[in-house]
């Protein structure tokens, strides 16, 4: 069933690609929605049958390139299943949001179906080369989304920058994978076999170089400071749907790589360089929030908050590698918070990027001051955006609070100063979201020559149906988190035990 979930969107993509040209745009969109809904339903079945204490489940192994130690090996545990579910939910939301798309619809739908399979494939991959294949294909798919459906000529430059930066990062990642392969005896790329063998234990500088290669490749994708410079232009010029998938799903490929590959396969090196990881995470938290606070462009502001929120994840996984001054429970709590933050950020930031698309659709600009006084004319849009903004700043009752509370609690014992500095990111995030709400929705219009708010329509049905469920799930996690934490916590404990071995 896991393979069916992974490749169902690709099958739909192939059918649409080969279907006669008489197929209407509206039919293509309905096929996409039906495929995404079916995939989400199948994931719900997987979730219902998941045994929280049984480790890796729904595994499938098939010989692929046996002479090179490469196989088709997939499975899910508590670290990956939530991200698989997040992926299916986000792609369904994007499909519903896209119901009014009119530009080259068949190609647009096929690209997103292809991207869905690529994202799911990465989160279920248990072979390093399989992981790398999906990692690289995600770059290709998103490049065409940005270049083909972005905002004007600048979109092509932003797409090229995105491709070059992330492709260089993927090459560094491949070097790290080869280093692990060469150290293993017998040679293999299988993640579970490498985890058991710990082939780089006691290898000193060699292990450090492999971790550096992995760290750079994953940091570019995350992105962390100073590898983040591709992110703002990619988000600003991409269509809203592309930005939603890029932030909600593709960025998680980097943070997921830390907990799936870097930490369990290089536990000794991770412990040795945990402080470096913590520093990078803390700098990303503060820098991302400060730069976001300075933005006047709503979409660019959201892009920089992603640097901030992913910094929390990096801080948590770094703290989980610190044995001194902490205990197993605190380290496990930090990892659980990191995975919960990945899910929370995907839901909330995905919703915010879709809402930025609503804004651009009405006024053809992301400049916040151009929409001053909008609340009186678009109350539904203002209300939903306010909910998303408050969820993004981590107030109690939403998933962000659950995630950040776990991260700070798990990190405080071992990295007190870094955690205290990172907490200031919450204050900065609150300031930037409140300023954005004030600029766009309150007061009287200051730039009527640019935007006539009287002619701006409120949130449409397909837009509300795409955004509101994402925020509803964030609310459910914030109020009743146990159903999610029960899945993540056992896998978090297993990971921290591996790092401490």
């Amino acid at each position: 069933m896991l393979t069916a979930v992974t490749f169902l969107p690709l099958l739909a993509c192939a059918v649409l690609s080969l279907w006669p040209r008489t197929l209407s745009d509206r039919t293509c969109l309905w096929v996409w929605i039906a495929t995404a809904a079916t995939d989400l339903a199948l994931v719900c079945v997987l979730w219902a049958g998941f045994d929280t204490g049984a480790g890796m489940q729904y595994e499938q192994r098939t010989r692929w390139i046996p002479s090179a130690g490469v196989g088709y090996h997939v499975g899910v545990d508590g670290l990956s299943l939530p991200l698989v579910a997040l992926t299916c939910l986000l792609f369904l939301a994007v499909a519903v949001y896209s119901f009014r798309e009119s530009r080259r619809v068949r190609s647009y739908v096929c690209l997103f179906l292809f991207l869905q399979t690529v994202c799911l494939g990465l989160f279920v991959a248990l072979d390093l080369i399989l992981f790398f294949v999906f990692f690289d294909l995600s770059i290709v798919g998103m490049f065409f989304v940005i270049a083909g459906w972005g905002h004007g000529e600048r979109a092509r430059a932003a797409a090229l920058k995105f491709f070059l930066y992330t492709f260089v990062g993927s090459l560094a990642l491949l070097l790290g994978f080869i280093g692990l392969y060469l150290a293993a005896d017998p040679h293999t790329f299988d993640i579970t076999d490498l985890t058991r063998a710990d082939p780089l234990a006691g290898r000193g500088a060699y292990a450090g170089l492999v971790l550096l290669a992995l760290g750079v490749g994953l940091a570019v994708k995350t992105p962390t400071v100073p590898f983040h410079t591709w992110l703002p232009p990619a988000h600003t010029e991409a269509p809203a749907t592309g930005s939603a998938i890029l932030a909600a799903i593709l960025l998680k490929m980097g943070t997921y790589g830390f907990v799936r590959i870097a930490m369990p396969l290089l536990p000794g090196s991770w412990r040795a360089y945990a402080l470096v990881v913590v520093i990078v995470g803390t700098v990303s938290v503060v820098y991302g929030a400060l730069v976001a606070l300075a933005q006047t462009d709503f979409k660019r502001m959201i892009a920089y908050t992603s640097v901030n929120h992913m910094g929390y994840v990096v801080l948590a996984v770094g703290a989980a590698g610190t044995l001194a001054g902490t205990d197993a429970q605190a380290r496990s709590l930090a990892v659980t918070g990191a995975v919960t933050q990945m899910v929370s950020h995907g839901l909330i930031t995905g919703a915010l990027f879709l809402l930025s698309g609503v804004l651009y659709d009405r006024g053809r600009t992301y400049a916040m001051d151009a929409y001053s006084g909008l609340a009186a004319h678009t109350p539904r849009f203002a209300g939903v955006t306010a909910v998303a903004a408050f969820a993004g700043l981590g107030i109690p009752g939403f998933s962000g609070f659950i995630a950040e509370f776990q991260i700070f609690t798990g990190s405080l014992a071992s990295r007190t100063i870094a955690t205290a500095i990172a907490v200031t990111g919450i204050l900065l995030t609150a300031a930037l979201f409140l300023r954005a709400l004030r600029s766009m929705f309150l007061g009287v219009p200051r730039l009527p020559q640019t935007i006539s708010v009287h002619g701006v329509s409120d949130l449409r049905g397909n837009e509300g149906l795409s955004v509101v469920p994402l925020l509803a799930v964030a609310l459910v996690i914030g109020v009743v988190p146990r159903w999610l934490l029960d899945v993540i916590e056992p896998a978090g404990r297993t990971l921290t035990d591996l790092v401490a071995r």
Side-chain angles (χ1 to χ4, degrees), residues 75-359:
V76 290
D77 63 358
L79 302 177
S80 54
L81 183 59
L83 296 176
V84 170
L86 174 69
T87 299
C88 291
L89 179 60
L90 255 295
F91 273 94
L92 177 58
V94 166
V96 173
Y97 180 91
S98 300
F99 201 66
R100 291 176 177 268
E101 181 61 48
S102 59
R103 297 174 296 166
R104 304 184 303 281
V105 172
R106 187 194 295 246
S107 299
Y108 176 85
V109 169
C110 287
L111 261 179
F112 276 95
L113 287 168
F114 168 78
L115 269 174
Q116 184 170 352
T117 284
V118 167
C119 295
L120 290 170
L122 183 137
F123 292 132
V124 304
L126 293 176
D127 182 276
L128 293 177
I129 296 302
L130 191 63
F131 183 99
F132 176 78
V133 167
F134 288 124
F135 191 93
D136 254 16
L137 289 177
S138 71
I139 302 171
V140 175
M142 188 53 63
F143 168 81
F144 285 111
V145 169
I146 298 171
W149 286 266
H151 306 310
E153 290 298 322
R154 291 181 301 176
R156 297 175 185 175
L160 182 61
K161 186 174 184 178
F162 160 79
F163 183 89
L164 293 176
Y165 264 70
T166 50
F167 187 68
V168 169
S170 75
L171 293 179
L173 193 65
L174 180 61
L175 287 176
F177 289 171
I178 294 173
L180 284 164
Y181 171 83
L182 294 175
D185 187 19
H187 296 325
T188 182
F189 285 104
D190 190 89
I191 292 174
T192 55
D193 292 344
L194 289 169
T195 300
R196 284 192 295 266
D198 191 10
L200 292 177
R203 298 291 294 271
Y206 180 80
L209 289 173
V210 171
L211 179 60
L212 177 63
L214 295 178
V216 169
L218 297 173
V220 170
K221 195 78 166 185
T222 296
T224 62
V225 176
F227 304 107
H228 68 288
T229 55
W230 62 266
L231 183 69
H235 272 309
T236 303
E237 303 304 330
T241 49
S243 292
I245 295 302
L246 178 58
I249 308 300
L250 265 64
L251 300 191
K252 309 307 177 295
M253 294 180 176
T255 50
Y256 175 72
F258 285 121
V259 298
R260 174 59 68 209
I261 298 172
M263 294 177 71
L265 270 58
L266 292 154
S269 297
W270 191 264
R271 294 193 303 269
Y273 296 99
L275 178 59
V276 176
V277 178
V278 168
I279 292 172
V280 170
T282 304
V283 171
S284 296
V285 166
V286 178
Y287 176 86
L290 284 172
V291 178
L293 185 61
Q295 302 304 308
T296 58
D297 181 296
F298 183 59
K299 200 178 187 191
R300 199 173 182 89
M301 182 198 78
I302 301 170
Y304 276 109
T305 64
S306 291
V307 178
N308 164 264
H309 285 97
M310 291 298 94
Y312 290 128
V313 177
V314 176
L315 166 66
V317 295
T322 304
L323 302 187
T326 187
D327 56 28
Q329 183 177 359
R331 296 194 301 273
S332 175
L333 189 62
V335 171
T336 302
V339 179
T340 306
Q341 176 74 338
M342 294 184 215
V343 175
S344 174
H345 176 266
L347 294 169
I348 297 168
T349 304
L352 283 167
F353 273 118
L354 292 179
L355 289 168
S356 76
V358 174
L359 198 69

